[in-house]
Amino acid sequence: MPTDSTEPTGPLARVALTTAAAGLLRELTGRHGPLMFHQSGGCCDGSAPMCYQLGEFRTGASDVLLGRLRVDGVPEPVPFWIAADQYAYWSHTHLTVDVVPGRGSGFSLEAPEGVRFLIRSRLLTEEESARSPGQGTGSSTST
């Protein structure tokens, strides 16, 4: 029997992109090659997501791969890592990467563009929590 296409199936994507963030990632990928995000609760830019060239920021056992962001026009998904302690705080939320005017951290690739990446979050619904894969390995898409 076919599955009703309105019923959500499979693991929940825990991170997504706005259209503006996807556009900026296309531009940055064109200039810098494959990219990655790391979300920490550290100093520098507070808890803003930092965008790096893929592999420029070392991840390890204290990081969680929350998802791989697929962006139209970008050949490789953009991995989104989050520090394990931050994941513990945000495990009940869905994160959306957005772009806002203003100067972010000097470490993140968008800093010279006069914009910065920003996280918008919302609580997961009960249904989403049930579908959540825990420590993420999911993927997300954006246009």
Side-chain angles (χ1 to χ4, degrees):
M1 182 159 83
T3 305
D4 182 345
S5 63
T6 62
E7 292 291 320
T9 59
L12 174 70
R14 297 296 305 275
V15 62
L17 297 165
T18 63
T19 302
L24 182 56
L25 284 175
R26 277 190 286 278
E27 290 177 33
L28 293 173
T29 298
R31 278 186 237 138
H32 302 283
L35 304 174
M36 67 179 287
F37 277 108
H38 188 269
Q39 175 75 44
S40 73
C43 61
C44 302
D45 208 21
S47 60
M50 306 293 268
C51 183
Y52 302 100
Q53 287 180 304
L54 185 63
E56 184 178 317
F57 184 91
R58 289 187 169 244
T59 57
S62 63
D63 297 298
V64 174
L65 178 59
L66 194 59
R68 296 179 190 278
L69 299 162
R70 298 188 186 282
V71 181
D72 289 343
V74 173
E76 295 181 38
V78 178
F80 189 101
W81 293 88
I82 186 167
D85 61 341
Q86 283 296 106
Y87 180 79
Y89 293 126
W90 291 12
S91 62
H92 60 286
T93 61
H94 179 273
L95 306 180
T96 301
V97 181
D98 199 0
V99 176
V100 295
R103 182 151 167 83
S105 169
F107 300 120
S108 195
L109 290 174
E110 82 283 2
E113 307 299 319
V115 295
R116 64 186 186 99
F117 287 111
L118 173 83
I119 288 294
R120 299 188 188 279
S121 64
R122 66 169 176 78
L123 293 175
L124 296 175
T125 65
E126 285 185 30
E127 179 183 311
E128 289 173 325
S129 291
R131 290 180 38 232
S132 177
Q135 291 198 354
T137 55
S139 37
S140 301
T141 58
S142 183
T143 55

